[in-house]
Amino acid sequence: MPAAAVSHDVLAKYEPVIGLEVHVQLLTATKIFCGCANRFGSDPNTNICPVCLGLPGALPVLNAKAVEFATLASLALNCQVRERSIFARKNYFYPDLPKGYQISQFDKPLAEHGWIEIPSADGATKKIGITRLHMEEDAGKSLHEGFADSATRTYLDLNRCGTPLIEIVSEPDIRTPDEAFEYLTRLKEILLYTGVSDCNMEEGSLRCDANVSVRPRGQEKFGTKAEVKNVNSFRFIREALAYEIERQIEVIESGGKVVQETRLYNSDEGRTYSMRSKEQAHDYRYFPEPDLPPLIVSPQLLSETRKRLPELPEARRKRMIAEYELTEKDAHTITASRQFADRFEAAAKTARNPRRVANVLLNEVVGRLKALGTEIEQSPVTMAGIVLAADLLDEGTISSKQLKQLFDVCFEKGEDFEAVYEREKPRQITDSAAIEKMIDEVIAANPRQVEQYRAGKKTVAGFFVGQVMRASKGQANPALLNELVVKKLEG
Ligand SMILES: [Zn+2]
């Protein structure tokens, strides 16, 4: 969605510089500084108390679970955790912020100097730096629509006041909207694996603001940046950035100046609109929060938290690629959620051949689900069914052709593999004499291949197995067939 006709040659003269600020709500039972429930979807103004309403005299008490989650996220993002960090007041007035300030962290955040690895355009990987990860509280919500008198009134729901947040600020290392998309995808995946947030964008558990500027290629100094706020999907962020990059280049090319401002993205129109001039840090008059002591994360707490760090998605993919002989793409499919990867690995362990379980899952289940447009959670075949199928295949009780037919029935009738297998147990030829007769015929018809085999090309055995399997309409017992083919050829 181009802002206007800016030619490719002109676009290519400029380099975009993108930094992302991501707010993530933590999945604690209670709020960050009081005992109110931290829950989405309650009736308005039911999860509130004097502390999160900021009534005079009410004092905050820090939620230990929120610290634990923030520390866990910091470690998962390769950050250095500060032993002593400081809460600060960020002063601004807004109707949904009854205290008149937000408790956040400023010059001494919880964690700094982290990074995330993303795939880069040339097939290698690129490290995107994380400047800082700090803790803060969420504000309430102003409701501008949905009421009979919404045209003249704004309603306030303060349930969200005091929801624990972490803000993750990237270095300005991102150069394209695609890299921004990758960074966000990886970040969300890592946070989901740690379990500190549900990262549900529709409910606002994960929110992203993007800072973007452009500069002539080769120039060191950054251009003036605009901030694009509150875009509610990664796809829209990619679109908003592409629009904003072109808009800024167009402004510069036509002799104008980019102004530092906050802009909103309208996904229906595919363009950004100026909202307000951007505040500077000094506008907020930050000062240390007098009602809270410094936050201490002791070396002991840090090492305990490190032990709770799960195997993270990238490491898990690397291990699974080796262990199950997967392609990069297949590894992504299996590790898309930690729960699914866990279920797969638990099941694979019980199978005769774990790699075979991966094969059956990827070849017989994933493709059929994709064709139906359904998620893996809705598969009629359970993980136990996949293991059974893999075992039957592995021990040669069914052929791969029969396996395919059985899976066809499973998906046609919406039944699990075991039920279909028990009912339609494929007929198998297990009579050696009958199989030997078929082998003899194939051998007689292919003297050249026999010669090749006897000259030492043992892989030709596979050709005979295939021919006999076809002649038997897929019903020859595969294990027996393999054994007899070799016996005949050697004989
Ligand atoms: Zn409260």
Side-chain angles (χ1 to χ4, degrees):
M1 257 162 281
V6 184
S7 76
H8 262 284
D9 292 349
V10 174
L11 287 178
K13 288 195 327 206
Y14 292 88
E15 180 179 53
V17 175
I18 300 164
L20 298 173
E21 293 171 12
V22 177
H23 286 89
V24 180
Q25 291 181 341
L26 300 176
L27 266 182
T28 52
T30 56
K31 294 186 181 180
I32 185 168
F33 298 124
C34 63
C36 291
N38 171 28
R39 196 181 301 134
F40 180 86
S42 299
D43 285 341
N45 302 309
T46 51
N47 301 327
I48 51 176
C49 74
V51 173
C52 53
L53 290 179
L55 299 187
L59 290 171
V61 177
L62 181 59
N63 180 340
K65 195 74 188 171
V67 175
E68 183 191 315
F69 279 174
T71 307
L72 193 62
S74 301
L75 292 174
L77 298 171
N78 307 297
C79 290
Q80 292 166 22
V81 176
R82 194 187 288 273
E83 188 170 345
R84 181 190 162 96
S85 63
I86 303 291
F87 283 101
R89 283 192 186 179
K90 181 181 183 179
N91 298 280
Y92 65 99
F93 172 76
Y94 215 71
D96 56 26
L97 187 74
K99 285 209 295 275
Y101 60 87
Q102 176 191 27
I103 302 180
S104 179
Q105 295 188 308
F106 183 52
D107 56 346
K108 295 206 168 43
L110 175 68
E112 293 170 293
H113 312 302
W115 47 267
I116 291 181
E117 223 161 41
I118 63 165
S120 59
D122 58 6
T125 55
K126 177 176 174 179
K127 264 187 191 174
I128 306 295
I130 291 173
T131 315
R132 54 189 279 145
L133 182 155
H134 68 252
M135 298 182 71
E136 61 185 27
E137 59 180 337
D138 212 340
K141 254 191 221 166
S142 299
L143 308 172
H144 302 289
E145 42 196 57
F147 297 92
D149 52 357
S150 280
T152 52
R153 282 167 192 262
T154 290
Y155 285 79
L156 291 174
D157 177 4
L158 300 178
N159 281 345
R160 202 175 67 177
C161 279
T163 294
L165 291 178
I166 48 175
E167 179 175 339
I168 300 153
V169 182
S170 86
E171 289 287 304
D173 290 343
I174 299 167
R175 291 289 171 270
T176 65
D178 281 340
E179 284 185 4
F181 184 87
E182 282 295 338
Y183 169 87
L184 291 167
T185 305
R186 296 300 155 113
L187 174 63
K188 179 179 167 185
E189 189 181 62
I190 291 167
L191 292 172
L192 282 174
Y193 262 65
T194 61
V196 302
S197 174
D198 62 18
C199 297
N200 184 330
M201 291 189 83
E202 283 91 57
E203 296 181 357
S205 310
L206 188 153
R207 313 194 289 267
C208 178
D209 304 330
N211 286 303
V212 53
S213 63
V214 297
R215 62 182 171 189
R217 281 190 193 277
Q219 178 183 304
E220 190 82 20
K221 195 170 162 276
F222 290 148
T224 306
K225 66 186 178 184
E227 186 183 32
V228 184
K229 266 194 117 60
N230 290 336
V231 189
N232 62 8
S233 85
F234 294 169
R235 191 167 58 85
F236 288 157
I237 286 167
R238 182 160 57 186
E239 288 175 13
L241 286 170
Y243 174 88
E244 191 54 27
I245 288 163
E246 285 210 27
R247 186 190 69 80
Q248 293 185 10
I249 291 172
E250 199 199 354
V251 167
I252 297 168
E253 283 288 315
S254 58
K257 268 197 169 145
V258 175
V259 258
Q260 177 155 339
E261 62 181 350
T262 299
R263 298 179 69 89
L264 287 181
Y265 181 64
N266 181 321
S267 57
D268 293 333
E269 299 173 33
R271 55 166 297 180
T272 61
Y273 286 96
S274 177
M275 184 171 91
R276 58 165 190 251
S277 66
K278 169 76 179 144
E279 303 84 354
Q280 307 275 350
H282 61 249
D283 294 331
Y284 291 117
R285 295 157 17 254
Y286 280 99
F287 62 87
E289 168 60 55
D291 291 339
L292 285 168
L295 167 56
I296 308 293
V297 177
S298 66
Q300 191 203 350
L301 176 62
L302 196 61
S303 78
E304 277 168 18
T305 310
R306 200 181 291 279
K307 278 185 214 138
R308 277 204 302 279
L309 207 56
E311 184 182 28
L312 294 171
E314 200 50 46
R316 185 168 204 171
R317 277 193 283 274
K318 282 198 182 120
R319 175 179 59 75
M320 288 178 73
I321 285 170
E323 211 165 296
Y324 301 96
E325 294 178 0
L326 302 174
T327 63
E328 178 86 27
K329 183 168 162 274
D330 290 343
H332 270 277
T333 304
I334 295 183
T335 57
S337 87
R338 180 180 166 190
Q339 287 72 15
F340 182 74
D342 286 349
R343 267 167 50 213
F344 163 76
E345 292 213 271
K349 272 200 200 98
T350 67
R352 288 166 54 103
N353 178 349
R355 275 179 220 146
R356 186 86 72 178
V357 179
N359 284 336
V360 173
L361 170 69
L362 293 160
N363 298 333
E364 306 301 338
V365 179
V366 171
R368 284 184 174 85
L369 288 173
K370 196 175 269 177
L372 291 170
T374 33
E375 296 299 316
I376 209 132
E377 282 75 20
Q378 274 94 50
S379 169
V381 180
T382 61
M383 212 51 99
I386 294 170
V387 170
L388 173 64
D391 282 350
L392 291 170
L393 195 62
D394 203 62
E395 65 200 24
T397 309
I398 58 173
S399 67
S400 52
K401 193 174 166 196
Q402 289 169 331
L403 180 89
K404 278 204 185 306
Q405 290 162 348
L406 290 169
F407 270 93
D408 282 341
V409 178
C410 291
F411 276 80
E412 239 164 66
K413 306 210 162 155
E415 288 180 296
D416 202 353
F417 183 83
E418 190 176 2
V420 173
Y421 174 72
E422 287 303 326
R423 190 178 60 234
E424 319 214 346
K425 226 170 234 178
R427 282 204 313 159
Q428 266 210 340
I429 304 170
T430 50
D431 173 4
S432 318
I435 295 176
E436 280 185 55
K437 188 165 162 280
M438 286 188 280
I439 297 173
D440 288 339
E441 282 163 18
V442 173
I443 284 180
N446 297 283
R448 206 163 53 84
Q449 280 81 355
V450 176
E451 238 167 71
Q452 285 177 345
Y453 182 89
R454 292 188 177 146
K457 200 174 168 200
K458 301 292 181 198
T459 52
V460 178
F463 162 79
F464 288 98
V465 171
Q467 293 292 308
V468 176
M469 191 55 96
R470 190 180 302 171
S472 76
K473 300 192 170 63
Q475 291 177 355
N477 177 294
L480 191 56
L481 172 59
N482 271 303
E483 186 192 316
L484 291 174
V485 161
V486 172
K487 198 174 106 191
K488 287 274 177 187
L489 287 170
E490 298 285 340

mmCIF file of all heavy atoms in Angstrom, residues 123-140:
data_model
loop_
_atom_site.group_PDB
_atom_site.id
_atom_site.type_symbol
_atom_site.label_atom_id
_atom_site.label_comp_id
_atom_site.label_asym_id
_atom_site.label_seq_id
_atom_site.Cartn_x
_atom_site.Cartn_y
_atom_site.Cartn_z
ATOM 1 N N GLY A 123 19.516 -15.739 4.244
ATOM 2 C CA GLY A 123 19.486 -17.122 4.722
ATOM 3 C C GLY A 123 20.298 -17.338 5.986
ATOM 4 O O GLY A 123 20.220 -18.394 6.590
ATOM 5 N N ALA A 124 21.070 -16.341 6.387
ATOM 6 C CA ALA A 124 21.819 -16.447 7.643
ATOM 7 C C ALA A 124 20.921 -15.945 8.782
ATOM 8 O O ALA A 124 19.716 -15.842 8.611
ATOM 9 C CB ALA A 124 23.094 -15.622 7.557
ATOM 10 N N THR A 125 21.508 -15.665 9.937
ATOM 11 C CA THR A 125 20.716 -15.100 11.023
ATOM 12 C C THR A 125 21.268 -13.733 11.392
ATOM 13 O O THR A 125 22.416 -13.417 11.103
ATOM 14 C CB THR A 125 20.728 -16.001 12.273
ATOM 15 O OG1 THR A 125 22.080 -16.232 12.637
ATOM 16 C CG2 THR A 125 20.023 -17.307 12.040
ATOM 17 N N LYS A 126 20.408 -12.938 12.029
ATOM 18 C CA LYS A 126 20.802 -11.589 12.429
ATOM 19 C C LYS A 126 20.375 -11.380 13.871
ATOM 20 O O LYS A 126 19.275 -11.772 14.249
ATOM 21 C CB LYS A 126 20.110 -10.585 11.509
ATOM 22 C CG LYS A 126 20.365 -9.134 11.862
ATOM 23 C CD LYS A 126 19.734 -8.184 10.852
ATOM 24 C CE LYS A 126 19.895 -6.748 11.344
ATOM 25 N NZ LYS A 126 19.321 -5.770 10.406
ATOM 26 N N LYS A 127 21.265 -10.779 14.658
ATOM 27 C CA LYS A 127 20.936 -10.498 16.051
ATOM 28 C C LYS A 127 20.306 -9.119 16.157
ATOM 29 O O LYS A 127 20.875 -8.142 15.686
ATOM 30 C CB LYS A 127 22.207 -10.520 16.908
ATOM 31 C CG LYS A 127 22.438 -11.835 17.588
ATOM 32 C CD LYS A 127 23.614 -11.769 18.549
ATOM 33 C CE LYS A 127 23.977 -13.179 19.002
ATOM 34 N NZ LYS A 127 25.175 -13.217 19.816
ATOM 35 N N ILE A 128 19.131 -9.052 16.779
ATOM 36 C CA ILE A 128 18.506 -7.761 17.060
ATOM 37 C C ILE A 128 18.679 -7.499 18.551
ATOM 38 O O ILE A 128 18.246 -8.296 19.388
ATOM 39 C CB ILE A 128 17.001 -7.773 16.708
ATOM 40 C CG1 ILE A 128 16.777 -8.229 15.259
ATOM 41 C CG2 ILE A 128 16.376 -6.405 16.969
ATOM 42 C CD1 ILE A 128 17.318 -7.316 14.194
ATOM 43 N N GLY A 129 19.340 -6.397 18.859
ATOM 44 C CA GLY A 129 19.621 -6.084 20.259
ATOM 45 C C GLY A 129 18.376 -5.688 21.023
ATOM 46 O O GLY A 129 17.429 -5.129 20.465
ATOM 47 N N ILE A 130 18.379 -6.010 22.315
ATOM 48 C CA ILE A 130 17.317 -5.537 23.208
ATOM 49 C C ILE A 130 17.967 -4.568 24.183
ATOM 50 O O ILE A 130 18.879 -4.939 24.928
ATOM 51 C CB ILE A 130 16.640 -6.709 23.942
ATOM 52 C CG1 ILE A 130 15.838 -7.524 22.909
ATOM 53 C CG2 ILE A 130 15.727 -6.214 25.062
ATOM 54 C CD1 ILE A 130 15.259 -8.796 23.446
ATOM 55 N N THR A 131 17.559 -3.315 24.103
ATOM 56 C CA THR A 131 18.161 -2.277 24.927
ATOM 57 C C THR A 131 17.847 -2.527 26.394
ATOM 58 O O THR A 131 18.726 -2.485 27.239
ATOM 59 C CB THR A 131 17.582 -0.898 24.540
ATOM 60 O OG1 THR A 131 17.566 -0.805 23.122
ATOM 61 C CG2 THR A 131 18.384 0.224 25.133
ATOM 62 N N ARG A 132 16.558 -2.786 26.668
ATOM 63 C CA ARG A 132 16.147 -2.904 28.066
ATOM 64 C C ARG A 132 14.840 -3.654 28.199
ATOM 65 O O ARG A 132 14.068 -3.749 27.240
ATOM 66 C CB ARG A 132 15.983 -1.519 28.686
ATOM 67 C CG ARG A 132 15.028 -0.637 27.872
ATOM 68 C CD ARG A 132 15.040 0.787 28.357
ATOM 69 N NE ARG A 132 14.190 0.946 29.532
ATOM 70 C CZ ARG A 132 14.465 1.768 30.539
ATOM 71 N NH1 ARG A 132 15.567 2.476 30.533
ATOM 72 N NH2 ARG A 132 13.634 1.878 31.557
ATOM 73 N N LEU A 133 14.646 -4.208 29.379
ATOM 74 C CA LEU A 133 13.365 -4.791 29.740
ATOM 75 C C LEU A 133 13.059 -4.245 31.125
ATOM 76 O O LEU A 133 13.850 -4.414 32.049
ATOM 77 C CB LEU A 133 13.456 -6.314 29.765
ATOM 78 C CG LEU A 133 12.166 -7.092 30.080
ATOM 79 C CD1 LEU A 133 12.250 -8.495 29.477
ATOM 80 C CD2 LEU A 133 11.866 -7.193 31.566
ATOM 81 N N HIS A 134 11.959 -3.512 31.245
ATOM 82 C CA HIS A 134 11.624 -2.998 32.569
ATOM 83 C C HIS A 134 10.204 -3.343 32.962
ATOM 84 O O HIS A 134 9.386 -3.716 32.132
ATOM 85 C CB HIS A 134 11.899 -1.486 32.667
ATOM 86 C CG HIS A 134 10.986 -0.638 31.836
ATOM 87 N ND1 HIS A 134 11.411 0.006 30.696
ATOM 88 C CD2 HIS A 134 9.681 -0.332 31.985
ATOM 89 C CE1 HIS A 134 10.392 0.676 30.184
ATOM 90 N NE2 HIS A 134 9.323 0.494 30.939
ATOM 91 N N MET A 135 9.943 -3.248 34.286
ATOM 92 C CA MET A 135 8.613 -3.555 34.821
ATOM 93 C C MET A 135 7.830 -2.267 34.964
ATOM 94 O O MET A 135 8.390 -1.220 35.267
ATOM 95 C CB MET A 135 8.737 -4.213 36.199
ATOM 96 C CG MET A 135 9.486 -5.531 36.180
ATOM 97 S SD MET A 135 9.535 -6.257 37.858
ATOM 98 C CE MET A 135 7.816 -6.759 38.046
ATOM 99 N N GLU A 136 6.535 -2.348 34.778
ATOM 100 C CA GLU A 136 5.665 -1.205 35.049
ATOM 101 C C GLU A 136 4.239 -1.672 35.202
ATOM 102 O O GLU A 136 3.925 -2.855 35.041
ATOM 103 C CB GLU A 136 5.791 -0.140 33.940
ATOM 104 C CG GLU A 136 5.404 -0.621 32.562
ATOM 105 C CD GLU A 136 5.650 0.426 31.482
ATOM 106 O OE1 GLU A 136 6.547 1.284 31.660
ATOM 107 O OE2 GLU A 136 4.951 0.383 30.453
ATOM 108 N N GLU A 137 3.360 -0.715 35.531
ATOM 109 C CA GLU A 137 1.949 -1.062 35.685
ATOM 110 C C GLU A 137 1.181 -0.550 34.468
ATOM 111 O O GLU A 137 1.547 0.441 33.857
ATOM 112 C CB GLU A 137 1.381 -0.448 36.963
ATOM 113 C CG GLU A 137 1.481 1.071 36.996
ATOM 114 C CD GLU A 137 0.915 1.679 38.268
ATOM 115 O OE1 GLU A 137 0.092 1.030 38.916
ATOM 116 O OE2 GLU A 137 1.305 2.812 38.601
ATOM 117 N N ASP A 138 0.097 -1.252 34.135
ATOM 118 C CA ASP A 138 -0.758 -0.827 33.038
ATOM 119 C C ASP A 138 -1.705 0.259 33.526
ATOM 120 O O ASP A 138 -1.909 0.425 34.731
ATOM 121 C CB ASP A 138 -1.560 -2.034 32.514
ATOM 122 C CG ASP A 138 -1.826 -1.937 31.017
ATOM 123 O OD1 ASP A 138 -1.738 -0.815 30.471
ATOM 124 O OD2 ASP A 138 -2.135 -2.978 30.402
ATOM 125 N N ALA A 139 -2.279 1.016 32.600
ATOM 126 C CA ALA A 139 -3.300 2.017 32.927
ATOM 127 C C ALA A 139 -4.680 1.392 32.711
ATOM 128 O O ALA A 139 -4.791 0.262 32.233
ATOM 129 C CB ALA A 139 -3.118 3.236 32.042
ATOM 130 N N GLY A 140 -5.730 2.123 33.041
ATOM 131 C CA GLY A 140 -7.090 1.647 32.778
ATOM 132 C C GLY A 140 -7.445 1.848 31.312
ATOM 133 O O GLY A 140 -6.583 2.079 30.479
#
